[in-house]
Amino acid sequence: MKLYVNAAAARSGNGSKESPFKTIQAAADVAQPGDEVLVYPGIYREYVNPKNSGREDARITYTSVEPLAATITGAEIITDWKPYKGTTYVTRIDNSLFGSYNPYIQEVEGDWYFAPNHMHTGNVFVNDRMFYETDTLDECLEGKVYIRSWEPEFSIYKWYTEQDTATNETIIYANFQDMKPAEQKVEITVRRKCFMPTEKYRGYITLSGFTVCKAATTWAPPAAYQDGMIGAHWSKGWIIEDCEVYGSKCCGISLGNYSQENNDMYFFTKHVKSPTQMERDAVCRAQYDGWTKETVGGHIIRRCHIHHCEQTGIVGRMGCVFSIIEDNHIHNINNMQQLGGAEIAGIKFHAAIDVIFRRNHIHHCSMGIWCDWQAQGTRITRNFMHDNNPPASVPMDPGRFDQDIFVEVGHGPCLIDNNLLLSAVTLRVPTQGVAMVHNLCCGSFVMVGSGVDSIVDGKLRQRYTPYHIAHRTEVLGFMTILHGDNRFYNNIFIQNTPIPADYLKDWPADKEYSRLDVGTHVWDEYPLYEDWIKGFDLDVHRPDMGKLMEPHFSELPVWIHGNAYINAKAFKHEDDKLMIEEPSARVELVQEADGAYHLNTKIFDMVKDFAVHLIRTETLGKAFEPEEQYENPDGTPITFDEDYFGNKRGMHIMPGPFADAGLSSETVWK
């Protein structure tokens, strides 16, 4: 059955084409499995709470009749601005507008939120751009550049809020600088979400072709309820496609965790358990609550344009398992730099079990893709990633890195193949069980062998994380990170970012934090497999278990073969490598007027005659702790005979993401 919605209808009808509903919620209240909700162009200022679930064979589909012309927004237009001082204006909002959730009282806060700023979940938008919140009215009046912003020229536009308890009003001041509010589109966010069910298990829903924007979302840490402007809320089989998503105070799309009553924001509210212990609790509670492949996950997010959100473009903890994230354009995430904490990235997933990230364009984000804990069966393939690091004008904090990919405290297997990774740091890797195959890496590796455990009161406090039955959610065991167990085959490494002469002057002494030099040399002290396995004394009929403990808790071996290094540094035991010293060699990214990107470089001609071996699942072996192969989610093996574009590699295989050197001049994203 088709249900029709048209905000321009004279009055709300029965949902027929001749008499459409005026709101999407009216259709969501009655839509049944197999129904299609067709939404005509217009601005829908509402929170849509889907009441019913579809079925795998009969989805409930919400479609914008004209692509991106139906907008669901959490904002309301405000026109009653009065001059206050200078270029600052003021408005007063009766708090009855907000109901039980006032985003100008509710602050961004919770587990893993570290910023000293006391930001509210609400925001002021002028012509679809967020203004910068200030802690004081004086700062709002001054309108100075915010030094940490990635867009300093816009950071002079400020707002400040306070409550008038006598009149029960929210007061908002906004410094419009050279603009007059009466001549602009000025909105404030008043709703927490745009399209997300209140109840769990509202599965098999498709959202197609909408613009979704401007909501007062809350901070979304992993062991808490994770909301977004769009959210699947602990369900199965959603498809979110061809949407534009922007302007979330925190997260754009959530495939995340549900609210665990006894564990929601546990550390922030109770303080008594360590942060990582509550994360382990969250995984085990989810198992008890029925977290399985049959009940949760298996979502698809495809061809979406996600930008200008201040925590993540897409967030997920456990609810994201078995999902596909493909062909999306994600950019300008956390560029205002007013929020800070351990949950910020273009995409931030915990437990990306059998998740595939493919053919995404991710750039100008604090981090590109961050797979935290349980990156098992994860594949990051054919993505185009660049400029996921601060502009030169922004001061860099010692010990902080922004990078294309961050894999943290997982046991693998996590497969990274055929990507263009052009940022100054390619991979932060306080983890094990990662394989990199046929990538172009223009940045360095950081936090090799570190960043896992804590020293508390002089004692080592290890961080044990779970691993799972292959291609399932059921926990197989818990273990700390030993480091190593990594594979690097057929990649190109180039020192694309010059290292300043005084780079280390103000940085921590820990060498693992102080690397911008590119290459696999950072694994020089890790054992080869043939040396590591000798420690287990396999010839002894009754091995000494005490003696065997030492090699069991040592660093795991690495496998590094067939890589090309251009002005970069190689693993000291790698024999089948290509070393090129050419100071002028560079990879330049060029954006055309039509938005298309291509590479300007000669490096592929430099390496094209270096023949390497075809890599297969059997080449990579098994990740150590889960004893799982680097394979497809259905358990079938992978042959790496297709390149970044999907072209077949022939008899002559060269390193890097292209099957042929001539392909390097092709458009890599449009």
Side-chain angles (χ1 to χ4, degrees):
M1 181 168 140
K2 295 182 186 297
L3 300 170
Y4 293 87
V5 181
N6 192 339
R11 57 185 295 180
S12 189
N14 60 12
S16 66
K17 190 172 185 179
E18 298 74 22
S19 182
F21 296 123
K22 281 184 70 71
T23 67
I24 302 170
Q25 185 60 54
D29 287 339
V30 299
Q32 298 294 320
D35 286 351
E36 184 176 9
V37 178
L38 297 167
V39 183
Y40 284 94
I43 307 297
Y44 295 85
R45 298 187 186 276
E46 57 177 307
Y47 161 48
V48 182
N49 176 17
K51 296 293 186 183
N52 299 310
S53 180
R55 299 194 309 266
E56 187 172 7
D57 62 344
R59 310 181 66 81
I60 297 176
T61 301
Y62 296 79
T63 303
S64 175
V65 172
E66 183 180 327
L68 304 181
T71 297
I72 308 172
T73 178
E76 296 288 343
I77 288 180
I78 301 296
T79 59
D80 186 23
W81 292 96
K82 294 179 172 54
Y84 180 69
K85 287 183 181 179
T87 56
T88 298
Y89 291 71
V90 63
T91 190
R92 301 175 76 94
I93 311 295
D94 191 297
N95 284 340
S96 62
L97 174 68
F98 306 114
S100 61
Y101 179 81
N102 185 336
Y104 302 93
I105 296 175
Q106 177 63 52
E107 292 186 356
V108 178
E109 59 189 7
D111 295 335
W112 305 104
Y113 184 73
F114 302 146
N117 312 46
H118 294 284
M119 300 291 101
H120 292 91
T121 59
N123 225 321
V124 175
F125 286 81
V126 179
N127 302 327
D128 299 325
R129 291 293 307 272
M130 291 189 209
F131 272 24
Y132 284 64
E133 186 177 1
T134 63
D135 287 327
T136 67
L137 179 55
D138 285 344
E139 291 175 283
C140 180
L141 295 170
E142 290 172 352
K144 291 183 177 179
V145 168
Y146 180 53
I147 192 172
R148 307 218 63 79
S149 173
W150 290 22
E151 45 175 18
E153 68 284 352
F154 197 80
S155 69
I156 61 174
Y157 296 96
K158 311 283 192 180
W159 69 276
Y160 171 74
T161 188
E162 60 188 15
Q163 292 295 308
D164 187 335
T165 56
T167 62
N168 194 31
E169 290 178 315
T170 292
I171 306 173
I172 299 176
Y173 304 86
N175 189 335
F176 288 86
Q177 299 288 354
D178 54 342
M179 297 186 288
K180 289 181 169 42
E183 299 172 1
Q184 318 300 323
K185 181 178 71 173
V186 185
E187 299 168 283
I188 65 168
T189 47
V190 301
R191 287 174 289 278
R192 179 172 172 176
K193 300 182 284 286
C194 294
F195 191 99
M196 183 174 185
T198 301
E199 301 298 322
K200 297 182 292 182
Y201 304 118
R202 298 296 185 261
Y204 298 106
I205 289 174
T206 297
L207 186 72
S208 182
F210 288 84
T211 296
V212 182
C213 62
K214 309 186 192 90
T217 49
T218 60
W219 184 247
Y225 170 66
Q226 294 182 308
D227 68 1
M229 292 194 297
I230 304 170
H233 194 186
W234 204 251
S235 63
K236 189 168 175 64
W238 276 50
I239 298 175
I240 303 166
E241 62 184 11
D242 301 309
C243 292
E244 181 173 9
V245 180
Y246 71 92
S248 175
K249 187 57 176 269
C250 290
C251 301
I253 300 174
S254 172
L255 303 181
N257 200 10
Y258 64 108
S259 178
Q260 296 179 338
E261 183 178 351
N262 297 315
N263 202 43
D264 199 66
M265 296 287 192
Y266 186 100
F267 188 74
F268 179 73
T269 56
K270 298 182 181 179
H271 318 300
V272 294
K273 285 188 179 180
S274 75
T276 55
Q277 184 59 34
M278 69 183 184
E279 303 296 340
R280 288 184 283 270
D281 287 354
V283 174
C284 294
R285 285 182 187 277
Q287 297 260 269
Y288 179 79
D289 289 343
W291 176 46
T292 69
K293 189 173 186 177
E294 290 71 33
T295 58
V296 174
H299 307 296
I300 299 173
I301 301 176
R302 61 190 176 202
R303 301 187 302 273
C304 289
H305 181 197
I306 306 168
H307 58 101
H308 292 93
C309 300
E310 284 306 304
Q311 181 186 334
T312 65
I314 310 173
V315 73
R317 169 69 185 273
M318 296 186 290
C320 59
V321 292
F322 314 114
S323 294
I324 298 173
I325 314 298
E326 62 182 1
D327 300 306
N328 301 289
H329 184 192
I330 302 174
H331 62 95
N332 294 98
I333 303 299
N334 192 232
N335 284 185
M336 296 173 76
Q337 291 284 301
Q338 289 200 291
L339 304 187
E343 305 305 317
I344 291 173
I347 303 173
K348 174 64 193 287
F349 278 3
H350 281 74
I353 298 172
D354 282 3
V355 171
I356 298 173
F357 306 91
R358 65 186 173 204
R359 300 189 303 269
N360 300 288
H361 180 195
I362 305 176
H363 62 98
H364 292 92
C365 300
S366 285
M367 300 183 191
I369 297 174
W370 183 354
C371 292
D372 201 350
W373 289 48
Q374 303 149 276
Q376 182 170 332
T378 308
R379 188 174 184 186
I380 302 172
T381 181
R382 299 180 186 173
N383 298 282
F384 171 38
M385 305 175 75
H386 61 90
D387 293 292
N388 294 307
N389 45 261
S393 61
V394 175
M396 180 179 270
D397 295 329
R400 172 182 170 170
F401 290 94
D402 299 88
Q403 62 277 310
D404 284 334
I405 301 173
F406 182 9
V407 184
E408 184 176 11
V409 293
H411 301 280
C414 178
L415 175 60
I416 303 171
D417 69 281
N418 289 296
N419 299 283
L420 302 178
L421 306 172
L422 309 185
S423 298
V425 177
T426 289
L427 177 66
R428 192 192 311 200
V429 61
T431 192
Q432 63 190 51
V434 172
M436 295 191 71
V437 182
H438 279 293
N439 300 283
L440 170 61
C441 302
C442 293
S444 61
F445 297 112
V446 297
M447 295 187 79
V448 176
S450 66
V452 170
D453 303 319
S454 301
I455 303 296
V456 181
D457 195 25
K459 297 178 181 178
L460 177 66
R461 303 299 186 186
Q462 293 179 315
R463 177 158 44 159
Y464 286 83
T465 55
Y467 52 97
H468 301 260
I469 301 292
H471 311 302
R472 299 288 306 179
T473 59
E474 290 81 359
V475 172
L476 180 60
F478 288 81
M479 185 57 186
T480 190
I481 303 302
L482 301 175
H483 300 286
D485 193 30
N486 298 315
R487 295 120 172 106
F488 301 90
Y489 287 88
N490 300 358
N491 303 284
I492 297 175
F493 298 98
I494 177 171
Q495 184 73 52
N496 213 44
T497 303
I499 301 175
D502 62 348
Y503 171 72
L504 298 180
K505 181 166 61 75
D506 298 321
W507 282 62
D510 182 348
K511 65 180 181 180
E512 305 303 344
Y513 281 86
S514 306
R515 296 189 185 277
L516 283 183
D517 44 347
V518 174
T520 56
H521 60 292
V522 289
W523 277 274
D524 274 353
E525 304 310 314
Y526 284 73
L528 299 173
Y529 177 80
E530 52 266 32
D531 297 322
W532 171 80
I533 198 66
K534 292 176 184 177
F536 291 92
D537 198 13
L538 298 179
D539 294 331
V540 177
H541 179 62
R542 291 187 177 179
D544 183 337
M545 293 184 69
K547 181 180 178 182
L548 289 177
M549 294 294 278
E550 183 176 341
H552 180 76
F553 284 97
S554 65
E555 292 169 335
L556 296 167
V558 295
W559 293 260
I560 302 178
H561 299 280
N563 300 289
Y565 302 85
I566 303 172
N567 306 323
K569 300 178 181 179
F571 178 57
K572 66 182 181 182
H573 297 299
E574 183 179 7
D575 296 325
D576 51 342
K577 62 182 181 291
L578 175 66
M579 302 293 296
I580 298 174
E581 291 293 330
E582 177 50 67
S584 64
R586 292 270 299 160
V587 175
E588 180 186 8
L589 182 61
V590 179
Q591 184 178 10
E592 304 293 350
D594 63 356
Y597 288 84
H598 72 268
L599 303 181
N600 181 19
T601 185
K602 296 180 179 178
I603 67 165
F604 296 99
D605 287 326
M606 297 166 67
V607 305
K608 66 181 180 181
D609 295 328
F610 177 51
V612 296
H613 298 292
L614 181 65
I615 306 301
R616 307 173 186 271
T617 287
E618 62 192 57
T619 313
L620 301 178
K622 295 180 178 180
F624 174 73
E625 212 69 65
E627 299 183 88
E628 180 180 339
Q629 291 187 312
Y630 294 81
E631 60 191 8
N632 290 309
D634 63 1
T636 57
I638 300 170
T639 299
F640 296 89
D641 59 352
E642 292 187 358
D643 74 354
Y644 172 85
F645 294 109
N647 298 309
K648 283 285 186 179
R649 293 185 164 96
M651 294 295 293
H652 175 81
I653 299 170
M654 60 180 279
F658 301 136
D660 182 86
L663 294 169
S664 63
S665 62
E666 298 291 321
T667 297
V668 296
W669 182 272
K670 184 173 181 180

